[in-house]
Amino acid sequence: MAAIGVFCASSRTLDRRWLDLAAEAGGELARRGHRLVSGGGCVGMMGALADAARAGGAHTLGVIPKLLVDLEVADPHADELVVTDGMFDRKSVMMHRSDAFLTLPGGLGTLDELFEVWTTATLRVHHKPVVLLDADGFYRGLVDWLRGLTGTAFVGRAAVDLLVVVDSVPAAFDAIESRLA
């Protein structure tokens, strides 16, 4: 049983399909016996993820900065809720409390979290799996651009290879589990 840090959107205005994807991820996480480490909000994909994980019996840890407690509406049902001083502290706690990372579709905050855990993996600060769920080609343009950087010497092939890109929820957890084994 691993603690999986999941990064995703907390927007209240997303299409239902993204909320369903987050709920699918939360349900699969619970079905496989993992614990959830999330951004601590109870709205948007973040809320759907945590609710589904809890409904499946998973332990949920939410980590949310003080300034977002009201904006993202802190998850009152989290098994454990850590309120941090700021965004940097949130990422730090999530990184330390997670055994692996899964990034679902999201915006700037989600990308910030993805790049933080991926960069620190390339620097060997940690050896935790970093998985990107490219559902419906959401991240296709970004992934193509990142892979293209290897030809410019700005990013090495080994760094790009540390980011595992998959296209389904089951494949995401298979990738995490195989790398944790």
Side-chain angles (χ1 to χ4, degrees), residues 117-177:
V117 297
W118 183 24
T119 299
T120 52
T122 66
L123 297 172
R124 299 183 183 179
V125 172
H126 67 81
H127 300 284
K128 301 173 183 181
V130 180
V131 175
L132 178 67
L133 178 53
D134 186 22
D136 296 333
F138 185 87
Y139 287 113
R140 184 175 299 122
L142 176 65
V143 170
D144 289 346
W145 177 73
L146 291 166
R147 288 179 177 154
L149 289 176
T150 61
T152 66
F154 281 101
V155 178
R157 169 60 43 205
V160 171
D161 290 345
L162 283 176
L163 179 64
V164 180
V165 181
V166 298
D167 63 3
S168 72
V169 169
F173 286 98
D174 288 347
I176 288 169
E177 290 170 350

Side-chain angles (χ1 to χ4, degrees), residues 87-106:
M87 296 296 284
F88 176 81
D89 296 322
R90 174 201 235 177
K91 288 186 292 187
S92 179
V93 170
M94 289 183 74
M95 285 178 63
H96 286 97
R97 299 283 301 264
S98 299
D99 299 313
F101 305 99
L102 172 59
T103 301
L104 304 178

